[in-house]
Each structure stands twice: as structure tokens, then as C-alpha cells.
Amino acid sequence: MNRDAPILFFDSGVGGLSVVGAARALLPTAPFIYAADSAGFPYGTKTEAEIGARVPALLGRLVERYRPRLVVIACNTASTIALSAVRAALDVPVVGTVPAIKPAALASRTRVIGVLGTDATVRQPYVDRLSAEFAGDCVVIRYGSAELVMLAEAKLRGETVDVAAVKRAVAGLFEQADGERIDTVVLACTHFPLLAEELAAACPLGVSFVDGSAGIARRIAFLTEGQDFLPVAIPGVAVFTRVDEAVLALGPALEERGFAETVSL
């Protein structure tokens, strides 16, 4: 394995940066490439057919260009729909991102947990299977919010996010039957941990949040154990399928997270 071979993170937008942060903590010198399908953003409002066709094709192009040692689909929507197809199409290991229902069920005291994701994620049979396997004794309440994704993107562009807007965006979760008993919320979109402070302020007092970033980082570390990395961290590259004013505004946030260069695919 070439020590320059990067770990490639993929999402529709900047949500995957929440996974990058957890992975960087475990692998401080590993070279990272961050790829965002800005031309296809957001994924949460698209159909399964659109995502199933788009994601494997894009990742094929990215793998051909960057020759990564590992691909991380840092997107719950893309993973729950296209993970199997991507693994079949690529000749490198692929790590997916799925809702952290298991740790949420282990943590819940009221046995009522919320799954907060995109519309496309929360309707997937994959979520049914996770709920049946790991939260069979829990009430699992799902809610999809496209607005939260947009608010997270705005925050990373340096815009101020109104907590009242976040509260309106999550109200549909807690207004459902038994919603007042939710004590643990699964952040089933990688964008949502970027709004951790705003969500804590907007949700009922005592609600805790669980996301999969730490588990994904551990999986990445396990799969790359013993591989050779550079002795020091080098600036990463952020790749976008469309570079426009919104992407350019992300420059400071990307640089803060180690991606000094932004390029177009």
C-alpha cells in the first residue's frame, strides 16, 4: 500500500465532515480526500432510483482519479440505498454509514427513541431491520427533515443559525404519538452533528443524541491497521461535482478541517 494513498470520504454535501473529525482523531496523519456531490445535493429528497444510479457511478470516477486505500460513504441516505451496489462495483474496501439505532436502544431509559434523518433515509427498509434487530423492545419514532440539512450547510458557510428554526425543523419528531417520551435521538444524517449545540437548545430538556461517527472511525482504523501512513499530516483536497458560490463560501470551514484545496470533479 502506497503511504500516499488517501482515505476517501463521500457525501452529497458537507455532512460527512462530522465523520472526518472522528476519523482524524484516530488517524492523525492519514491522507484524506473529501468528495461532495454538490451537483446532486441534497440526496434526502431524491428517489431511490436516482441515488442508486448516481452514487456508484460517481464513486467509480473518484476511485479512478484518487486511488484511495478505503472509501467511506459518509452519508446515511447513500449508504442505506446504494452501499451494496458500491461494494459490488469497486475493488477497494467500502465503509458505510447507517443510523446508530443499536447504541440508542442501549442508552434509552424510557424505551422510546427518535430517528432523525432525511426523508429518504427514514423510509428505508434498512431502518426497519435495524429497529427490529436492535430496538425490538423500543418504540422507534422516525422523522425526516430536509430543513436541518440546509441549516447545517448554512452554518458551515459561516451563517448564523436560528435555534427557533431548528426547533421548527424537529417539531414533527416530538409531536408524534409517544414523542414526548423520547429520551434518545439518533442523528441519522451526518449533517446533523454539525448542529449539535443548536439541537441541544432546540429539543426538550434531557434528550440525548447518538450518531455513528465514532463507530465509523473505529471501523476505518481497524481496516487500515498496520498500513503505512505519512509521518505527518498533509493538507487534504476537497472535491465537488459543482463549484459555485455556496461551495466557495465553505472554504474556511474546509480549511479548518484540513482541506486546503477545493477542486471540481
Side-chain angles (χ1 to χ4, degrees), residues 101-114 134-141 178 181-184:
I101 290 174
K102 181 179 180 179
L106 291 173
S108 177
R109 302 174 306 280
T110 65
R111 313 314 292 155
V112 181
I113 63 177
F134 299 116
D137 66 334
C138 295
V139 175
V140 179
I141 301 174
D178 286 322
R181 296 177 54 215
I182 293 172
D183 69 344
T184 308

Side-chain angles (χ1 to χ4, degrees), residues 11-64:
D11 186 21
S12 64
V14 296
L17 291 174
S18 63
V19 179
V20 166
R24 178 61 74 197
L26 293 185
L27 299 169
T29 67
F32 286 175
I33 299 286
Y34 188 81
D37 184 13
S38 47
F41 175 86
Y43 279 179
T45 57
K46 288 185 163 46
T47 67
E48 285 78 356
E50 288 175 303
I51 293 168
R54 189 173 184 89
V55 171
L58 277 174
L59 280 169
R61 291 172 59 192
L62 287 161
V63 167
E64 184 177 4

